[in-house]
Amino acid sequence: MAKNNNSGNSKSIQGKNISVSRRGFLTRGAAAGVGAAAIATAGSQEAEAQARWARTADVVIIGAGVAGLPAAITARDNGASVIVIDANYDIGGRGILSGGRLHIGGGHALQQKLNVKDSADQVFLDWIRHDHADSRYSDRDLVRVFADENVPTYDFLVANGVKLIEKLVGPEQSSTVPRTFLTVEWENPAEIIAPKRQRNGSGLVRQLALKAREKGAEILLKHRMTKIIRDGRSGRVQGIAVTAEGKTFNIRALKGVILATGGHTGNVEFRRMFDPRLTEEYQQACQPWVNQDASGEIAAMEHGAALWSTANQTTETAAAITKTRHIGCQWGYSSLAYEPESPMFKFARAVGLTVKDWQNVVMVNDRGKRFWNELSGDYDFFAAAMQWNGDPKKLNGGGPIWAIFDAEGAKREKWITQPPHVDPAGYFFQADTIAELATKIKNPHQHRPIPGNVLQDSITRFNGFVDAGKDADFNRPKPVHKIATPPFFAAWSTPILHDALTGLRTNTNSEVVDLHGKVIDGLYAAGEAQGGFSQHGLARCLVFGRVAGRHAAKRRAIT
Ligand SMILES: Cc1cc2nc3c(=O)[nH]c(=O)nc-3n(C[C@H](O)[C@H](O)[C@H](O)COP(=O)(O)OP(=O)(O)OC[C@H]3O[C@@H](n4cnc5c(N)ncnc54)[C@H](O)[C@@H]3O)c2cc1C
């Protein structure tokens, strides 16, 4: 870990925090730097808070998702009492809606059974590759821990009853050998959130939650963490403030608080720190089930926590921003759609029209102009979608993207252009002419009406490319279908945000580190709330959840 080199600043920090003059605070508070002011505030609230601890456990975990649940089990396995809270009404976080494609190797028993040669060293080498954006920017200290913990994490999953499909997938992402294994979907459709959509991740989190409860972890749902409480004198994290059913109270953590809150992609202000183009119109995969609101990161940053490997968030790979696949609904992420059977359907309002062949649509920006080859899923597509379109009031972000198609396109795709498949309340429109269609497009993110003549010109020009057999503007391969048969349709297809690939800085024990390289005593982060490793998804969350739970459980308790 980096050495604290801030000791020379302690005078000015002392000066700023003159009201908190105890030596113990000054030593640690000065080391915390920017966090010192926050500690002073937290410290002044502390005496009051300590008198009103509503609940106490050795380890308090925020988030009953992919990182939080293994943290809970591991902390229990190591003898700690555990309270997990989650803001949602059910467990699982984004993990329950994930495809369950688990990227874990290192030579575990299933790999051996399927004759895959792998090792912890190979995992390490693959995930520090300089020739791959998935691995180039990651913290190699964290990757080393990840690599060494792959086999123990596989063993942990098996020991806790998680089932994996015995079939090789991959190599994927940065890996050079097959390491992707799908978890078996949960057997009860009523507990899958998006039944009918092969949400294999449900089998992972449901089983881990079952085990966590069986082993004695208490899971409090509809409980939202609002603040981390830190002792003003020692700087040690003492617990959290929580709201539930309109009441606010504090939960004390004798050994540690683990932030497993997921990432930040749903917080516009936060995500724009990494890329100012990511303005409000970009929706988030997994909404409305879970909103990644950055509450974990912000609560820690209020105590001076640092972020880590922020380059990961803006690498030009498709894990952070993706093309919609289900168009004409608000949230159309790749493999996820909410059928009427889903408890989320009443919030999602539509299933969406699943695109099989992008040749059936033309995509236009909020000015009604084509912007890129519609068949592309490359980063260039997203960059073009986010380019400035000449709106003097909106210089950042590109505005909504609309897929335009006609009755023939709908027929080829076998789309039913009515609810529940589409959402006419701002995400799907229909008209008898292209110019009329333009005037009908109204959405909170569509700041200005699309001029009918511009949209008509775009479609006329594209139809000319079909006649010519060549897209002279964006080189779309062989444009084949004209958009000419009424009715005409416009379906929301704005790119959708996916992974948080940066988050809080931690050391190899998953302990959160502040802006001066010092551990924030008693605070941990795992999962998408943790930065430093840009691997997509489940595996890094499981691994560092276990690491955090184990380390926190073994600490000395506050007396
Ligand atoms: C549609 C979809 C498909 C995916 N498929 C795959 C896949 O196949 N393979 C893969 O590897 N990855 C996949 N992923 C990614 C993977 O699901 C996530 O990376 C993973 O779930 C993140 O785990 P986490 O513990 O950080 O967050 P989560 O699992 O989201 O858990 C965070 C929890 O914290 C709670 N929380 C947040 N803030 C607070 C607060 N202030 N107070 C209380 N509780 C709070 C939330 O309610 C949530 O339950 C997919 C993601 C999506 C959206």
Side-chain angles (χ1 to χ4, degrees):
M1 187 198 312
K3 275 171 91 178
N4 169 37
N5 55 8
N6 191 48
S7 50
N9 289 340
S10 56
K11 263 193 183 156
S12 61
I13 290 167
Q14 284 178 28
K16 275 185 195 159
N17 297 291
I18 200 106
S19 60
V20 186
S21 57
R22 296 287 296 259
R23 184 161 177 79
F25 166 71
L26 288 175
T27 319
R28 293 174 181 85
V34 168
I39 297 168
T41 317
S44 61
Q45 295 158 348
E46 191 53 31
E48 194 194 346
Q50 277 178 349
R52 292 187 287 110
W53 296 116
R55 300 291 310 274
T56 298
D58 289 333
V59 178
V60 175
I61 299 167
I62 332 295
V66 178
L69 292 169
I73 294 173
T74 308
R76 285 296 300 135
D77 287 346
N78 282 277
S81 59
V82 172
I83 292 177
V84 183
I85 68 155
D86 200 294
N88 213 346
Y89 73 87
D90 201 351
I91 64 99
R94 281 161 44 107
I96 203 165
L97 286 176
S98 77
R101 297 169 76 89
L102 181 58
H103 205 91
I104 201 144
H108 56 64
L110 184 51
Q111 281 183 308
Q112 286 177 30
K113 189 172 173 186
L114 298 171
N115 294 320
V116 178
K117 282 206 173 20
D118 200 2
S119 65
D121 287 345
Q122 193 58 53
V123 173
F124 175 68
L125 291 173
D126 285 357
W127 281 96
I128 60 163
R129 281 168 61 176
H130 63 85
D131 61 342
H132 208 293
D134 277 343
S135 46
R136 183 181 297 147
Y137 303 99
S138 293
D139 176 339
R140 294 166 198 165
D141 285 323
L142 295 180
V143 179
R144 185 68 245 182
V145 175
F146 174 79
D148 292 339
E149 290 287 346
N150 260 227
V151 172
T153 299
Y154 170 85
D155 293 342
F156 164 89
L157 293 174
V158 172
N160 284 288
V162 174
K163 295 194 188 88
L164 298 176
I165 296 172
E166 297 198 355
K167 189 178 160 206
L168 284 180
V169 184
E172 287 188 324
Q173 303 180 52
S174 222
S175 285
T176 54
V177 301
R179 290 192 188 110
T180 303
F181 295 93
L182 267 76
T183 52
V184 175
E185 195 177 37
W186 192 241
E187 68 268 10
N188 181 357
E191 294 180 340
I192 296 181
I193 311 302
K196 290 184 158 182
R197 284 286 166 176
Q198 267 209 300
R199 298 297 82 197
N200 290 43
S202 57
L204 172 70
V205 287
R206 287 280 178 215
Q207 180 60 29
L208 291 181
L210 196 77
K211 277 286 165 191
R213 286 182 169 122
E214 213 173 275
K215 291 183 174 184
E218 189 178 359
I219 302 179
L220 305 175
L221 298 170
K222 297 196 207 165
H223 281 60
R224 175 176 293 279
M225 181 275 300
T226 55
K227 200 165 56 182
I228 293 163
I229 299 169
R230 196 173 175 193
D231 182 64
R233 292 177 194 154
S234 66
R236 182 161 174 169
V237 167
Q238 305 264 301
I240 55 168
V242 170
T243 58
E245 291 173 356
K247 296 198 178 85
T248 299
F249 57 92
N250 301 329
I251 302 181
R252 192 175 195 201
L254 297 176
K255 294 189 171 185
V257 167
I258 300 176
L259 295 169
T261 44
H264 59 260
T265 53
N267 184 323
V268 177
E269 296 306 322
F270 201 92
R271 74 195 189 202
R272 291 191 68 206
M273 284 197 282
F274 314 113
D275 187 342
R277 294 172 301 174
L278 298 180
T279 43
E280 296 75 11
E281 63 272 37
Y282 303 104
Q283 317 288 297
Q284 180 204 160
C286 223
Q287 275 182 313
W289 167 248
V290 173
N291 178 24
Q292 289 202 324
D293 65 2
S295 53
E297 290 97 314
I298 291 170
M301 289 168 82
E302 281 169 358
H303 289 280
L307 297 174
W308 204 227
S309 304
T310 57
N312 282 330
Q313 192 62 46
T314 46
T315 52
E316 298 185 354
T317 63
I321 183 164
T322 67
K323 211 168 164 181
T324 44
R325 184 151 159 257
H326 314 289
I327 63 175
C329 63
Q330 190 172 359
W331 295 286
Y333 172 72
S334 156
S335 58
L336 176 60
Y338 298 105
E339 309 277 354
E341 290 80 1
S342 166
M344 286 300 104
F345 182 78
K346 58 179 179 287
F347 306 108
R349 304 180 303 277
V351 184
L353 305 171
T354 305
V355 180
K356 291 195 268 310
D357 183 358
W358 291 99
Q359 287 283 12
N360 288 316
V361 306
V362 155
M363 293 173 100
V364 299
N365 61 22
D366 71 345
R367 292 287 70 215
K369 293 187 174 174
R370 284 184 73 217
F371 57 92
W372 204 251
N373 158 23
E374 291 82 351
L375 275 51
S376 160
D378 294 346
Y379 191 82
D380 287 341
F381 175 93
F382 305 115
M386 291 192 284
Q387 72 188 304
W388 182 52
N389 299 322
D391 183 345
K393 290 195 184 136
K394 183 169 169 54
L395 303 185
N396 284 297
I401 299 298
W402 299 99
I404 310 293
F405 57 94
D406 68 354
E408 287 300 315
K411 208 189 286 174
R412 285 189 298 275
E413 286 276 2
K414 299 193 175 57
W415 284 332
I416 301 168
T417 53
Q418 283 163 3
H421 305 280
V422 296
D423 179 5
Y427 296 86
F428 189 78
F429 305 93
Q430 169 176 344
D432 289 333
T433 68
I434 294 285
E436 189 196 354
L437 182 65
T439 63
K440 284 196 165 177
I441 296 176
K442 291 197 175 66
N443 174 280
H445 303 293
Q446 178 72 41
H447 294 293
R448 300 179 291 174
I450 295 180
N453 62 327
V454 176
L455 186 60
Q456 181 61 70
D457 286 353
S458 297
I459 298 303
T460 305
R461 187 169 169 79
F462 174 80
N463 287 344
F465 296 155
V466 175
D467 286 334
K470 187 172 168 42
D471 173 3
D473 288 341
F474 300 109
N475 210 17
R476 166 168 156 175
K478 293 190 191 136
V480 279
H481 304 300
K482 283 189 183 178
I483 295 181
T485 309
F488 300 100
F489 306 95
W492 175 264
S493 355
T494 309
I496 190 156
L497 303 181
H498 193 221
D499 282 13
L501 295 172
T502 187
L504 296 168
R505 179 178 180 182
T506 74
N507 64 12
T508 51
N509 298 322
S510 268
E511 294 173 283
V512 175
V513 171
D514 73 12
L515 287 167
H516 298 276
K518 287 278 177 194
V519 164
I520 297 180
D521 198 13
L523 187 63
Y524 295 79
E528 288 195 42
Q530 178 192 30
F533 188 14
S534 67
Q535 186 187 63
H536 162 65
L538 305 169
R540 71 180 169 105
C541 303
L542 291 166
V543 164
F544 285 100
R546 284 184 51 248
V547 168
R550 184 173 62 213
H551 195 269
K554 288 182 175 172
R555 279 167 59 94
R556 185 179 51 79
I558 299 172
T559 46

